[in-house]
Amino acid sequence: MPRLSSLGTRWLGVGLASALAVLTIGLAVTGRLSLYINPESAWFAVGMSVIVLIGAIASFALPLGAEDDHGHDHGDAAPARHTDAESGHGAADDHDHDAAPARGHTRHPVALAGTVVAGVLASAVVVGALALPPSSLSPQFASTSASTTPVLFGGRDVVTLASTGDTATFGVGEWATVFATATDPASFDGDAVTLTGFVSPGDAGAGFLLSRFVITHCVIDAQLAAVPIAWGGTAAPEGEWATVTGTVRSDSDGRLHIAADSVETVPEPEDPYEY
């Protein structure tokens, strides 16, 4: 039983950390790490994974079960006991002193059960990550997110970008922010755009929304960006990826939209996110 407990402790510590490190390095080597984190942070994730693996290899120098000692080996201090006459304590006191550490190592059943449940859940998550193929956030997930709120950029950034007159490199995220925060919509009227995203339903009779997830660090902070597309033709099915070529137009009420000249269905990009 003690050996089984030691193996469990080793797995929950070194084992899970090593599995995640191997997974991270494997995703980086195959070019799929960007499905989970910003590529600019990949070097840090890979570097920390290498350090974890080095530490895991070094941990094999530690005998199995040694992690349970907790530094209770006090060397030569333990045998040096006072006699009854010197200390004034009876045999019962010695018995109490010897028994106290044993009681300190007894785990409460609730704590033990919590450890087992947490260990099983953590193991399931890691094993699932290793077994399942990497995938991006699905368009279906977008239906639970807000679709037209500004994403990641404040008005100051929009004004700076707009003042240069260069919107050629704008993606769905930048345009979604411009559409939501522009104080002079007419200044963007006539800008040509070519954007790729997945199709989401728009207002009835008003075309559709072209959407894309934007992440800062990793998929946990993913936000949905979307721009309205006015298109008189047959739209791509909801959830499908499409490339829209068209022109930004300003409505009479000051709202912006993209008047599409063409909508072409395309496969999901190798890197489906914007950063």
Side-chain angles (χ1 to χ4, degrees), residues 10-236:
R10 186 66 62 92
W11 164 250
L12 290 178
V14 176
L16 292 179
S18 299
L20 289 175
V22 170
L23 175 63
T24 300
I25 294 174
L27 289 172
V29 170
T30 58
R32 306 291 282 174
L33 189 58
S34 60
L35 292 177
Y36 300 98
I37 65 173
N38 191 320
E40 294 182 357
S41 303
W43 66 271
F44 177 79
V46 172
M48 294 304 297
S49 297
V50 171
I51 293 175
V52 167
L53 290 179
I54 293 174
I57 294 172
S59 71
F60 284 101
L62 184 68
L64 188 64
E67 59 271 18
D68 294 328
D69 290 342
H70 302 297
H72 288 305
D73 184 6
H74 299 292
D76 296 331
R81 293 182 179 176
H82 298 292
T83 64
D84 294 345
E86 293 172 336
S87 64
H89 297 293
D93 292 327
D94 288 340
H95 176 74
D96 290 342
H97 287 228
D98 292 338
R103 288 196 302 270
H105 286 289
T106 301
R107 289 188 177 183
H108 193 281
V110 174
L112 180 60
T115 300
V116 172
V117 171
V120 170
L121 292 176
S123 299
V125 170
V126 173
V127 172
L130 290 171
L132 298 175
S135 60
S136 61
L137 293 175
S138 66
Q140 288 72 26
F141 178 74
S143 62
T144 65
S145 305
S147 58
T148 57
T149 54
V151 179
L152 302 178
F153 306 100
R156 182 177 302 173
D157 294 327
V158 173
V159 171
T160 300
L161 292 169
S163 65
T164 66
D166 182 13
T167 61
T169 60
F170 277 20
V172 174
E174 284 102 341
W175 277 119
T177 301
V178 168
F179 283 18
T181 63
T183 57
D184 184 16
S187 64
F188 296 95
D189 192 287
D191 285 0
V193 297
T194 298
L195 299 173
T196 298
F198 55 85
V199 175
S200 301
D203 297 332
F208 60 93
L209 296 175
L210 191 69
S211 306
R212 198 146 181 176
F213 283 104
V214 183
I215 68 176
T216 303
H217 301 292
C218 64
V219 293
I220 294 177
D221 60 40
Q223 299 181 69
L224 182 66
V227 291
I229 308 295
W231 171 242
T234 302

